[in-house]
Amino acid sequence: MTTAWFLAQLTAEQRAEIENYTLHPSGWIVMILSIGFVVGLLTWCIRRVMRESQPEKLHGQIDVDTHDAEP
Amino acid sequence: MTELPRPRDSWGTRIGVILAVTGSAVGLGNFLRFPGLAAQYEGGVFMIPYFIALLVLGLPLAWAEWAMGRYGGSRGFNSAPGIYRVLCRTRLAPYIAFPCLLVPVGIFMFYVLIEAWCLGYAWFYLTGMMSELGEQARNGMENGLLKEDVYTSFFVKFIGMAEDGASFNLSRTSALPFLAICFALNFVTIYRGLNRGIEKFCLWAMPALILCAILVLIRVLTLPNIDAGLGFMWNMRTEGESFTRQLLNGKMWLEATGQVFFTLSVGLGVIITYASYLRRDDDIALSSLTSVAGNEFCEVVLGGMIIIPAAFLFFGFGVTERVGSSFGLGFITLPIVFEQMPLGYMAGFLFFILLFLAAATSTLSMLQPAIALLEEGLGVNRKASVTILGFVTLVGALFVLYFSKDATALATFDFWVGIFFIYVIAMIQTVIFGWVLGVDKGMAELDRGAEIRVPRFIGFVLKYVAPLYLLAVFVFWIYTEIRKPEEQNTLLMTLRNPVGLMSVGFLALLAVFFLLIIAQASKRWQQLGAVSDAEVRA
């Protein structure tokens, strides 16, 4: 299956329509902003979820409250 | 503390609940309706109202539903009537929640059929039947037939659109065996419970769905001239004054809001039930945001990059005439595209498997609200509740399958439970969150155990903006429906067509069935002291 085979499947009118059309700068901007926003948001969320879902971190000596200071 | 005497289900993992909610939201709309709308409304311009509606309406509504669900769950209730009872503290409140049962169960009755169509098409691609159809289409073209006619006639025959009862056969192209498989899959999974059934299924089905979508996406993005297809999908096709006119197009704003609203599954009665199984201090703010982001990934990134760019390469600007109907786009236009595409049959198989998985993760979620009510309202075990629900939904699905002529029963079900009552539930829930529970209490619920801080203005949005925004969209939708020409007017069809009337009658019976169960449940909760106890805790 080659590109030539693929293009041969299209009518001359369709080929002309497609060849004269392309992704404009406005399209690039909308596409990058939309996809970037969604992918960025999902990545941030997954990172947060993974970080928070990890088993509790080991506490250092300084964090351990022995309650021996209480009256 | 009085606990209702029944086994309480719960989620196993946090990832599991996020994937289950995302799976419930991701459906055919993500891959067919969203790109169709974007193509219809000048590509890039559509994204402006879409993202505004997502941030102003969709996300706040999702947060509110999660918060109300966990609020009710931590007071011992998992069903929407029980949750409404503790939220509103009135005896009438559980009855207001009947659409939360009617909507998911009613949608299940026709959505399981659509799921069966997707599975059927995947099977036809795998067994080479679609390649035979492609051959027929090419031969037909030599005899002056349009390719579209061959694919349309195949689809019409498959779903039995020509006459009522046409689907009740066991021919090679019957939908009946696929419906049986989908039904069995749904009920076996739901019988296994929340953790061992729904969660386990979503844990592999969602990654599998995304993998299928990525493989199809790679195929589409490596097509020659794909930048033209991407241009058609994402370019702002109007400039200057016409851009402003397009941006001020009220119908586009309505459609974008509707799409956001339906894609997130808010107002379906599912999220409120799912969230009720969380523990009191589990995070809901980040989990809800992650589910929304996961759904948007499937919609904007995968849905937006596959269908329309590929279809444009084969139909040029003529593709805009084919995006009006999601079924036409998915089951007629796309198979023509796949037929002409190198490695197209493999892409077709993967695409319909992905649609099947998207539908399956949605239908599974639609059964849980009713299961929760049967368990906690009647005190029956899971086996009994699954059996009762299995019988009710089987009758409904066979009703929709039998009255298949022009898909009248399906369209009527979709109109009432797939659109009308979803708006009703969403409006009721925003009022309960903003005005009955109160913004302060609601936001405090959202904040408990939260791993992110939800901005304070969300409270204001939920109290004032969301109810008005929803009401405006609802009124505008009714107005457009009433003004539609007779042949497209579902409201008129419901009143004039005998099948439409019977479908409404069926849904009314279903509503009565749920109201009777709610009445029984209310009595039981009162007798057990579950409600007064929950009120004390509230």
Side-chain angles (χ1 to χ4, degrees):
Chain A
M1 301 283 186
T2 61
T3 307
W5 176 90
F6 169 75
L7 288 172
Q9 305 299 304
L10 306 174
T11 64
E13 234 175 53
Q14 284 171 328
R15 266 206 304 272
E17 241 175 17
I18 293 163
E19 277 162 12
N20 292 332
Y21 204 73
T22 186
L23 194 57
H24 300 158
S26 70
W28 274 109
I29 292 168
V30 175
M31 188 171 81
I32 289 170
L33 283 180
S34 302
I35 293 176
F37 171 69
V38 170
V39 171
L41 179 66
L42 182 64
T43 311
W44 181 81
C45 286
I46 290 174
R47 282 188 63 182
R48 285 294 303 257
V49 168
M50 299 311 261
R51 198 173 69 196
E52 303 294 342
S53 301
Q54 277 171 4
E56 279 190 0
K57 290 177 198 130
L58 289 173
H59 293 282
Q61 287 297 318
I62 197 108
D63 301 326
V64 178
D65 184 2
T66 57
H67 298 281
D68 54 1
E70 286 170 15
Chain B
M1 183 169 92
T2 314
E3 273 293 334
L4 290 169
R6 67 195 158 88
R8 279 202 78 175
D9 232 332
S10 64
W11 295 108
T13 59
R14 185 172 181 197
I15 300 291
V17 62
I18 291 172
L19 285 179
V21 176
T22 311
S24 160
V26 173
L28 268 68
N30 296 57
F31 298 96
L32 299 176
R33 192 168 184 269
F34 166 77
L37 282 174
Q40 206 175 323
Y41 290 104
E42 308 279 317
V45 186
F46 180 78
M47 301 314 293
I48 298 170
Y50 179 83
F51 277 113
I52 289 176
L54 176 73
L55 298 174
V56 174
L57 190 70
L59 188 55
L61 279 177
W63 268 324
E65 205 166 330
W66 278 73
M68 288 190 290
R70 195 188 58 178
Y71 182 92
S74 61
R75 283 153 184 82
F77 290 97
N78 300 119
S79 68
I83 295 168
Y84 277 31
R85 180 72 176 84
V86 291
L87 283 166
C88 304
R89 301 194 205 177
T90 65
R91 282 166 192 265
L92 273 178
Y95 297 95
I96 302 169
F98 87 90
C100 294
L101 289 315
L102 178 70
V103 164
V105 173
I107 294 179
F108 178 88
M109 289 170 177
F110 69 86
Y111 211 74
V112 71
L113 260 181
I114 300 169
E115 184 182 327
W117 299 347
C118 298
L119 181 64
Y121 264 58
W123 175 252
F124 298 150
Y125 271 105
L126 189 69
T127 54
M129 201 186 282
M130 292 310 277
S131 130
E132 282 172 33
L133 193 69
E135 194 68 37
Q136 272 178 39
R138 282 189 291 274
N139 294 339
M141 277 175 85
E142 286 164 17
N143 301 323
L145 264 177
L146 286 174
K147 262 189 183 179
E148 199 144 358
D149 296 336
V150 177
Y151 281 92
T152 305
S153 118
F154 180 80
F155 181 58
V156 164
K157 196 174 162 203
F158 181 55
I159 68 166
M161 256 179 105
E163 56 180 318
D164 288 336
S167 293
F168 280 75
N169 66 71
L170 285 173
S171 69
R172 256 178 95 208
T173 53
S174 166
L176 208 54
F178 300 107
L179 179 65
I181 294 170
C182 291
F183 228 86
L185 173 81
N186 275 284
F187 278 92
V188 167
T189 312
I190 198 94
Y191 176 68
R192 290 170 62 84
L194 209 61
N195 176 10
R196 290 193 314 128
I198 298 176
E199 190 176 336
K200 286 270 176 339
F201 183 81
C202 291
L203 273 171
W204 74 262
M206 288 307 291
L209 179 157
I210 289 172
L211 180 69
C212 288
I214 288 174
L215 290 174
V216 180
L217 183 63
I218 291 170
R219 170 62 291 200
V220 169
L221 291 183
T222 49
L223 286 172
N225 291 327
I226 191 61
D227 62 324
L230 291 173
F232 183 75
M233 176 71 197
W234 295 100
N235 281 348
M236 296 220 181
R237 281 179 253 142
T238 46
E239 285 168 7
E241 249 181 65
S242 53
F243 169 77
T244 318
R245 207 177 309 123
Q246 179 59 33
L247 192 60
L248 295 176
N249 180 348
K251 198 159 180 280
M252 178 177 76
W253 282 82
L254 173 80
E255 296 267 30
T257 309
Q259 176 60 24
V260 163
F261 181 61
F262 293 118
T263 191
L264 295 179
S265 281
V266 283
L268 209 70
V270 170
I271 295 176
I272 200 166
T273 303
Y274 270 9
S276 73
Y277 292 100
L278 291 167
R279 282 181 293 269
R280 195 171 178 273
D281 293 318
D282 279 343
D283 160 83
I284 49 174
L286 179 60
S287 298
S288 171
L289 184 64
T290 310
S291 309
V292 168
N295 178 68
E296 289 311 305
F297 176 79
C298 291
E299 181 148 304
V300 176
V301 181
L302 302 175
M305 300 286 278
I306 295 176
I307 292 173
I308 297 298
F312 180 76
L313 295 185
F314 296 93
F315 294 105
F317 285 94
V319 78
T320 38
E321 294 153 21
R322 296 159 198 269
V323 296
S325 149
S326 293
F327 291 152
L329 182 65
F331 292 93
I332 297 167
T333 305
L334 277 178
I336 300 176
V337 171
F338 289 134
E339 183 215 313
Q340 297 176 79
M341 190 188 279
L343 292 176
Y345 291 114
M346 194 181 284
F349 167 70
L350 289 170
F351 185 76
F352 281 101
I353 281 288
L354 109 82
L355 287 189
F356 163 70
L357 290 173
T361 49
S362 300
T363 49
L364 272 179
S365 69
M366 290 166 194
L367 298 170
Q368 190 59 34
I371 295 272
L373 177 69
L374 291 168
E375 283 181 348
E376 73 185 22
L378 303 182
V380 295
N381 61 20
R382 195 158 190 97
K383 193 175 176 181
S385 56
V386 169
T387 309
I388 297 170
L389 195 60
F391 176 73
V392 172
T393 49
L394 183 65
V395 172
L398 290 177
F399 177 91
V400 180
L401 182 72
Y402 182 82
F403 292 108
S404 53
K405 189 177 178 197
D406 299 330
T408 307
L410 193 152
T412 311
F413 270 57
D414 187 28
F415 180 85
W416 289 106
V417 291
I419 306 174
F420 183 88
F421 274 111
I422 292 187
Y423 277 123
V424 172
I425 297 176
M427 283 189 284
I428 291 174
Q429 286 185 173
T430 45
V431 170
I432 291 179
F433 186 91
W435 297 88
V436 180
L437 179 66
V439 168
D440 292 341
K441 219 168 168 183
M443 294 303 283
E445 179 66 28
L446 201 49
D447 284 341
R448 203 177 52 247
E451 286 162 13
I452 54 168
R453 186 168 162 77
V454 175
R456 293 302 92 182
F457 72 86
I458 294 295
F460 174 83
V461 167
L462 281 165
K463 186 163 184 172
Y464 300 104
V465 183
L468 287 175
Y469 197 158
L470 267 173
L471 187 67
V473 172
F474 182 61
V475 169
F476 195 69
W477 172 72
I478 299 250
Y479 174 76
T480 9
E481 279 301 315
I482 291 170
R483 284 174 55 94
K484 270 185 181 171
E486 200 170 322
E487 65 276 9
Q488 294 168 20
N489 195 318
T490 318
L491 205 59
L492 275 182
M493 187 174 75
T494 301
L495 300 172
R496 289 186 186 164
N497 185 313
V499 174
L501 265 179
M502 275 197 290
S503 306
V504 173
F506 189 96
L507 290 173
L509 271 179
L510 191 63
V512 170
F513 170 74
F514 283 124
L515 284 168
L516 289 174
I517 294 178
I518 292 170
Q520 184 58 36
S522 298
K523 262 191 226 163
R524 185 166 178 268
W525 296 335
Q526 209 67 43
Q527 280 164 4
L528 293 169
V531 173
S532 52
D533 201 54
E535 279 169 359
V536 170
R537 277 182 276 160

